[in-house]
Amino acid sequence: MPGTCVIGLQWGDEAKGKLVDLLTSDYEIVVRFLGGANAGHTVVVGDQTYKLHHIPSGILNPRVINVVSPGVVINPPTILKEIDGLIERGIEVGENLMLSARAHIVCPWHITEDRLMDGKQLESESIGTTLRGIGPCYRDKVGRSYAIRLGDMYRDDFRERIEQIVAVKKRLLAGLNGRGENDYGLDAAVIHDEYQGFAGRLQRYVTDTTSYLLDAVEADRRILFEGAQGSLLDVDHGTFPFVTSSNSSGVGVSAGSGVPARWIDRVLGVAKAYTTRVGGGPFPTELHNETGQRIRDLGKEYGTTTGRPRRCGWFDAVAVRYAARLSGVDALSLMMMDVLSHLPEINICTAYDLDGQRTTNFPGHAEDLRRVKPIYETWPGWETDVSHLRRLADLPIRARQYLDRVSELVARPIEVVSVGPDREQSIFVK
Ligand code: IMP
């Protein structure tokens, strides 16, 4: 069976890019199957840091084919910038990148809609989206009438399609915001010309990735599916409505890539040794104190895509266990262990108190999750720098005890421990 997935088990930013980069040498193809430029995957190789948004982290390995499949929403100018940036730094981007003609494209009106709607959706708290037009683009995909796919840019009616959609979007935006239809800078002719330029530059990469991947699995080629965001941001199974607009847990791999589940035999779940979240929504173990700020500073917890400070808190075993079960995880990769090295005491949330009842179930409603009180177990910190260690046996006993406890609570073995951003700073347990 050729398929392995790497899936985030928290609210995104679990350092999946590093793990994918570590694993790619064992795979021929790396597939990105959801999300878009809301994601920011950081990969550090030696003294070079790469920040990828759409393109799979496999692009840094010259032997790997990188596929952006139908479940992704592609922002043409952003992906072109990404491609140019890689080429400028000497990374080859040519036949090793394939973009699905079925993938939907993010258009300027999506970004405007995202800006207008994010603050308005809920009276109490906004979702705090990345403002990359992701939700509006997926909404149009599911709504079908006003959607544009990458392959549509090469068809004769592309201009007409833009004109029709722009006419509707101008009315919609005016209705949403009470301003005039021409106040949003949407000019169909300008957008068409600009996007035709993008289409020309992207054409060499656009193809039928679904057939390519089906042929690949039938030929037993080894494929790595690179998750984006995290399981708790899954639109169906996450902390709705404080989620992204696609299936970002393991259950989304087949739908987004077009590869049936029968070809996927291994799922690696990625979690940080603590928890972070960007944007709004409940976060039971969040720390609003100095320790939270310490974790933010030590872990450089600022968004790759938006630069926003990430909310930080203790490891939540209830949430990660739920995510690991949902995503069908076989083994865990625990990231950023080095960040905890500087803390005298470390808490792990082992259960929730929901209205006086102890539970280890992850509530399905955001308002219930908002009410839970985390039940903590307190562990002494190891207070020793671990970033130079490469073997499990060399870790301080307290760090190993922490790993054992996390593994026990999540009911999955830990296979990789990351002790720093570099490829080298990794401990393979097996
Ligand atoms: P959207 O995906 O831009 O619509 O944002 C919806 C929610 O998902 C917001 O809370 C974002 O902060 C969060 N989100 C989206 N992409 C990522 C990511 O790659 N990492 C972490 N959070 C993300």
Side-chain angles (χ1 to χ4, degrees):
M1 290 263 265
T4 297
C5 310
V6 171
I7 303 289
L9 299 181
Q10 292 158 322
W11 282 286
D13 306 318
E14 299 94 349
K16 297 175 289 293
K18 168 173 168 170
L19 189 69
V20 171
D21 177 60
L22 276 176
L23 296 174
T24 41
S25 51
D26 289 340
Y27 294 84
E28 294 169 73
I29 302 167
V30 181
V31 182
R32 170 81 185 270
F33 56 90
L34 80 149
N38 49 351
H41 292 172
T42 306
V43 185
V44 180
V45 186
D47 59 355
Q48 297 287 311
T49 300
Y50 299 91
K51 295 191 178 202
L52 301 165
H53 298 286
H54 300 85
I55 299 180
S57 310
I59 201 75
L60 302 175
N61 183 325
R63 289 185 298 107
V64 167
I65 301 292
N66 296 274
V67 173
V68 178
S69 68
V72 178
V73 289
I74 297 177
N75 181 316
T78 310
I79 198 170
L80 279 165
K81 247 190 238 149
E82 227 174 307
I83 293 171
D84 291 344
L86 286 166
I87 292 172
E88 265 166 35
R89 294 171 73 180
I91 305 292
E92 187 197 328
V93 187
E95 282 173 11
N96 57 344
L97 177 64
M98 300 170 108
L99 308 179
S100 173
R102 292 178 170 95
H104 285 245
I105 58 167
V106 175
C107 297
W109 49 85
H110 293 135
I111 293 169
T112 311
E113 274 175 55
D114 209 356
R115 294 224 160 95
L116 286 181
M117 291 195 70
D118 187 44
K120 290 189 176 171
Q121 238 146 359
L122 297 169
E123 277 168 24
S124 52
E125 187 176 7
S126 77
I127 294 172
T129 74
T130 59
L131 302 178
R132 296 298 185 270
I134 303 298
C137 183
Y138 277 113
R139 186 162 56 229
D140 280 340
K141 163 176 162 168
V142 179
R144 295 151 297 165
S145 309
Y146 308 121
I148 303 180
R149 304 200 294 176
L150 197 54
D152 295 337
M153 297 206 291
Y154 306 97
R155 304 189 86 86
D156 293 341
D157 63 351
F158 182 46
R159 177 187 290 272
E160 206 182 315
R161 188 135 188 82
I162 295 252
E163 284 167 357
Q164 286 168 348
I165 296 175
V166 166
V168 173
K169 290 290 178 178
K170 281 164 101 173
R171 290 204 295 278
L172 186 99
L173 290 171
L176 261 177
N177 211 29
R179 287 171 59 189
E181 286 185 19
N182 293 321
D183 287 347
Y184 300 97
L186 295 182
D187 180 323
V190 171
I191 295 171
H192 170 264
D193 292 353
E194 208 181 8
Y195 273 61
Q196 206 172 33
F198 300 145
R201 292 195 55 212
L202 287 172
Q203 192 159 17
R204 61 181 297 205
Y205 308 109
V206 180
T207 187
D208 178 355
T209 62
T210 308
S211 301
Y212 174 79
L213 290 177
L214 292 173
D215 287 344
V217 284
E218 285 164 13
D220 235 11
R221 295 179 68 192
R222 292 175 58 77
I223 304 183
L224 187 63
F225 297 89
E226 177 176 13
Q229 288 84 45
S231 300
L232 303 177
L233 288 172
D234 187 295
V235 66
D236 288 308
H237 308 286
T239 50
F240 188 88
F242 303 98
V243 291
T244 190
S245 298
S246 56
N247 287 115
S248 51
S249 68
V251 300
V253 181
S254 287
S257 66
V259 175
R262 68 192 296 253
W263 297 107
I264 297 163
D265 68 340
R266 198 166 155 64
V267 183
L268 289 173
V270 189
K272 278 179 184 160
Y274 48 92
T275 313
T276 62
R277 174 162 210 177
V278 231
F283 177 175
T285 62
E286 182 168 15
L287 290 165
H288 297 279
N289 57 15
E290 245 174 61
T291 308
Q293 185 57 42
R294 220 129 179 244
I295 294 176
R296 186 173 306 115
D297 292 339
L298 290 165
K300 300 189 182 62
E301 293 294 357
Y302 296 87
T304 314
T305 300
T306 59
R308 290 182 288 178
R310 296 181 183 140
R311 300 158 65 192
C312 297
W314 297 120
F315 187 84
D316 182 342
V318 178
V320 175
R321 178 172 162 272
Y322 165 70
R325 296 173 71 204
L326 172 70
S327 290
V329 163
D330 295 293
L332 298 175
S333 187
L334 206 72
M335 316 304 277
M336 319 281 284
M337 264 299 269
D338 51 309
V339 171
L340 296 186
S341 298
H342 305 271
L343 304 179
E345 267 187 353
I346 297 166
N347 284 343
I348 306 182
C349 168
T350 56
Y352 296 151
D353 176 323
L354 177 59
D355 303 330
Q357 299 286 320
R358 186 181 189 280
T359 179
T360 52
N361 277 337
F362 191 70
H365 200 288
E367 290 315 310
D368 294 337
L369 189 62
R370 215 187 278 288
R371 280 205 322 283
V372 305
K373 293 189 191 79
I375 299 173
Y376 287 121
E377 216 171 69
T378 301
W379 288 74
W382 44 93
E383 296 189 272
T384 314
D385 179 23
V386 295
S387 59
H388 57 289
L389 302 178
R390 301 291 175 265
R391 293 185 327 155
L392 188 70
D394 296 338
L395 282 177
I397 179 76
R398 286 175 179 173
R400 275 182 282 146
Q401 283 168 339
Y402 184 77
L403 292 173
D404 287 346
R405 187 62 178 136
V406 165
S407 171
E408 183 180 36
L409 288 165
V410 180
R412 299 290 185 284
I414 295 178
E415 282 191 357
V416 183
V417 180
S418 175
V419 291
D422 201 88
R423 268 183 192 168
E424 299 300 313
Q425 293 176 295
S426 310
I427 296 174
F428 292 91
V429 175
K430 271 216 290 201

